Amino acid sequence: MIRTANPADVPVIHRLIRDLAEYEKALDEARATEAQLHEALFGDRPAAYAHIAETPEGEIAGFALWFLNFSTWRGVHGIYLEDLYVRPDLRGGGHGKALLAELARICVDRGYERLEWSVLDWNAPSIAFYESLGARPQDEWTVYRLTDGALAELGRGAV
């Protein structure tokens, strides 16, 4: 079962984000707090949205955290999937596919024309899963990121 996350889910989402960061070998980079997640998802101006996958027994199996983006070429919003994670002991049960199907349904219902996300190059199981659904890599683009000191320097006009 897929449902929209609610404020009571924040501690579990936070734990699963940390589990995902550990799987991606970057736990030290996962600095978000429960309070930050609560504000981003349920504050006065939500910046992100989340859906929860549950087992038939009501156990949280995984989550999808996403936000809106906008295509200047298409002239409409799309969804950028920031995180998709299903607990390892519950993988293979259709939870990941159901989460992606829910986001695709939202896109179709709202007239959004893109559902996009990033995947680590070494994550072969996830790549195979995404391609089995018809997703294709956008290998003509390279992602760039400013963070930490470089972001601060540019923001201060020091560069």
Side-chain angles (χ1 to χ4, degrees), residues 83-156:
D83 285 332
L84 173 71
Y85 184 74
V86 174
R87 292 179 20 209
D89 59 316
L90 295 172
R91 290 183 186 153
H95 304 292
K97 183 176 181 180
L99 285 163
L100 283 171
E102 176 62 12
L103 297 186
R105 184 197 61 76
I106 292 169
C107 287
V108 170
D109 288 353
R110 297 181 186 177
Y112 303 163
E113 295 189 13
R114 292 181 178 167
L115 172 54
E116 298 177 308
W117 62 91
S118 297
V119 61
L120 291 166
D121 292 339
W122 57 260
N123 194 344
S126 293
I127 291 168
F129 167 63
Y130 298 142
E131 289 183 354
S132 77
L133 300 175
R136 296 294 171 251
Q138 302 297 298
D139 56 8
E140 66 272 12
W141 296 89
T142 299
V143 176
Y144 281 83
R145 177 180 295 160
L146 277 173
T147 188
D148 301 326
L151 176 64
E153 284 185 41
L154 184 59
R156 288 192 308 267

Side-chain angles (χ1 to χ4, degrees), residues 41-60:
L41 293 168
F42 304 107
D44 292 337
R45 297 181 57 184
Y49 308 92
H51 283 78
I52 299 293
E54 289 183 332
T55 67
E57 299 76 32
E59 184 180 5
I60 294 180

